[in-house]
Amino acid sequence: MSTAQPDEDADRVTPDALLHTRTGTEVTPEDVVLAAGRDVTPANLEWARRKIATEGAAALDKLLP
């Protein structure tokens, strides 16, 4: 059980080694659309399909920190 206050937790920085954008699974158009902050619509899914076709899995990596 943590005794840290919520404000203290907000000031912490997660080390780069612990940050992951993918779990090793296939990147889906829905993943890309949501990572871009867009609504899941047919037009946005098509945009994501083209982006994945061009950039591969990096399409998702480029959208996430």
Side-chain angles (χ1 to χ4, degrees):
M1 184 168 168
S2 174
T3 59
Q5 298 298 319
D7 291 336
E8 292 174 4
D9 290 339
D11 292 334
R12 290 188 194 178
V13 176
T14 303
D16 288 345
L18 297 177
L19 295 175
H20 303 281
T21 58
R22 290 187 295 124
T23 61
T25 59
E26 184 177 331
V27 175
T28 67
E30 290 84 359
D31 295 334
V32 174
V33 169
L34 294 173
R38 298 180 178 194
D39 291 329
V40 179
T41 65
N44 287 339
L45 290 171
E46 184 54 36
W47 164 80
R49 284 185 194 96
R50 289 191 309 271
K51 190 165 181 63
I52 292 169
T54 302
E55 301 173 17
L60 183 61
D61 295 337
K62 291 177 181 180
L63 293 170
L64 299 175

